Amino acid sequence: MTHLQAGLSPETLEKAKVELKENPDTLHQDIQEVRDMIITRPDIGFLRTDDAFILRFLRARKFNHFEAFRLLAQYFEYRQQNLDMFKNLKPTDPGIKQALKDGFPGVLSNLDKYGRKILVLFAANWDQSRYTFVDILRAILLSLESMIEDPELQVNGFILIIDWSNFTFKQASRLTPSMLRLAIEGLQDSFPARFGGIHFVNQPWYIHALYTVIRPFLKDKTRKRIFMHGNNLNSLHLLIHPEILPSELGGMMPPYDMGTWARTLLDHAYDEEADYCPESYTLSVQDLEKDLEKDLSPKTMKRSQSVVEAGVLTRPDKVSSHEDNMKPLLSLD
């Protein structure tokens, strides 16, 4: 074991060896091979190239050198292309702070049986008068940057649960395809995290409609890890034990305190107030919200609703007329 593996438990070391093909004898060579590829992309500013940093990209791509470098390049390219998004990327930024305090994201204290960190989003908490969707995305990316420092999570990864209860059509209308694509590019294509599952619960028909719009931007591997549970929490509990879930998700834990993770990041700054107006947030990507907005117009959404009611959109990859009887799309073993 090298010093780069010092933060791993014996169980996780074995998992890294078996699942990720991590070999302590060749670890420094693997890292150097990725670093040597940087010269092939002079158009990108690689602002960090130390061993520990490159290692997380190798783990995210199971030590495939080329794929790890591509992810590393996309990580910095995404930040170059969206410079305003990453200005003042810290918990005390007013928009990020308000999103964090509303539970974007929520982070459960217990890991699942595979050692994965569970993130929860209660979508209805989004107060659109106080912060933007981009603020939520920035808060999530900032949180992941903090958590991915843990080598255990680099190996074991994350689970995401999104509860759509009471999420209104008006709120959904602000989730334009361009904004969702920005999130997909930031999380799926440009961040060194392993997501073992993305679970939707209590999703209304218009969330199914949104899924059909963004589906072409999802990799096949990502699509296979999306689970549409509807109001059938039993299917969620088959994959994530209710002992570690909050009561809102049918679990045995107390209701989730939305400020838990925010307090971790903000510490003493949690109770400090700051004026913030979402409309004043001059982010170049906000102009993208106008693109493809017709895809979520009431007329288009009504057509999508009729398809859902006919049983076409109750499952992302299969036709099903009974959402409650839906089986998970993929075993997470």
Side-chain angles (χ1 to χ4, degrees), residues 46-327:
F46 292 85
L47 303 181
R48 184 179 170 187
T49 59
D50 58 274
D51 287 359
F53 187 71
I54 291 177
L55 178 56
R56 66 185 64 171
F57 291 86
L58 280 162
R59 285 170 170 162
R61 291 297 180 263
K62 296 186 176 181
F63 279 76
N64 180 309
H65 296 162
F66 177 77
E67 290 298 326
F69 172 71
R70 183 159 70 172
L71 180 61
L72 176 67
Q74 288 172 332
Y75 174 91
F76 286 114
E77 187 173 35
Y78 180 77
R79 281 148 182 76
Q80 282 183 193
Q81 293 173 346
N82 301 287
L83 287 174
D84 287 340
M85 250 183 84
F86 293 93
K87 286 180 181 177
N88 200 38
L89 190 72
K90 53 187 180 182
T92 52
D93 174 87
I96 292 177
K97 181 177 180 178
Q98 292 185 15
L100 287 170
K101 292 177 76 170
D102 277 354
F104 294 108
V107 181
L108 300 189
S109 56
N110 294 310
L111 305 174
D112 78 347
K113 62 182 179 180
Y114 301 110
R116 294 176 291 209
K117 181 71 76 175
I118 302 173
L119 309 184
V120 293
L121 303 178
F122 295 94
N125 286 358
W126 180 16
D127 185 345
Q128 296 175 348
S129 68
R130 296 171 61 237
Y131 50 90
T132 68
F133 175 75
V134 174
D135 289 320
I136 292 175
L137 177 57
R138 295 172 77 223
I140 292 171
L141 287 170
L142 175 66
S143 299
L144 286 172
E145 288 284 3
S146 174
M147 287 182 277
I148 205 65
E149 293 288 336
D150 183 350
E152 288 276 325
L153 295 181
Q154 293 173 21
V155 175
N156 293 323
F158 300 85
I159 294 291
L160 176 63
I161 304 174
I162 307 178
D163 184 356
W164 298 98
S165 299
N166 303 314
F167 189 71
T168 66
F169 184 89
K170 181 179 179 181
Q171 287 174 305
S173 68
R174 298 293 295 274
L175 293 175
T176 63
S178 53
M179 287 291 97
L180 293 171
R181 184 174 183 179
L182 183 73
I184 292 168
E185 289 173 352
L187 297 170
Q188 172 189 257
D189 303 327
S190 309
F191 196 85
R194 306 181 67 213
F195 283 94
I198 302 170
H199 301 265
F200 286 13
V201 298
N202 300 311
Q203 70 274 9
W205 65 266
Y206 37 87
I207 296 304
H208 284 286
L210 273 171
Y211 179 82
T212 64
V213 173
I214 67 170
R215 193 177 186 277
F217 305 127
L218 298 175
K219 295 178 180 177
D220 183 61
K221 187 175 182 179
T222 302
R223 288 197 293 265
K224 289 178 178 178
R225 292 180 176 177
I226 293 177
F227 299 76
M228 298 283 195
H229 298 282
N231 60 7
N232 181 11
L233 295 180
N234 288 332
S235 64
L236 174 68
H237 298 162
L238 289 174
L239 298 172
I240 306 173
H241 201 283
E243 282 186 0
I244 63 174
L245 294 175
S247 59
E248 297 95 325
L249 299 173
M252 301 177 185
M253 299 296 288
Y256 183 71
D257 178 354
M258 299 300 165
T260 300
W261 177 245
R263 292 187 192 95
T264 300
L265 290 183
L266 287 161
D267 197 15
H268 299 300
Y270 180 85
D271 294 318
E272 296 175 3
E273 295 297 333
D275 294 330
Y276 176 66
C277 176
E279 288 74 16
S280 69
Y281 186 49
T282 56
L283 181 69
S284 59
V285 294
Q286 284 183 331
D287 294 335
L288 296 174
E289 289 187 350
K290 298 176 183 178
D291 300 343
L292 300 175
E293 205 157 29
K294 62 183 180 180
D295 290 328
L296 293 181
S297 66
K299 188 174 182 179
T300 303
M301 296 294 270
K302 285 181 180 178
R303 286 200 299 269
S304 298
Q305 183 181 23
S306 65
V307 175
V308 171
E309 290 171 347
V312 175
L313 293 181
T314 53
R315 186 176 181 183
D317 299 303
K318 285 189 178 181
V319 174
S320 171
S321 59
H322 298 289
E323 187 172 84
D324 288 350
N325 293 329
M326 190 188 330
K327 295 181 180 178

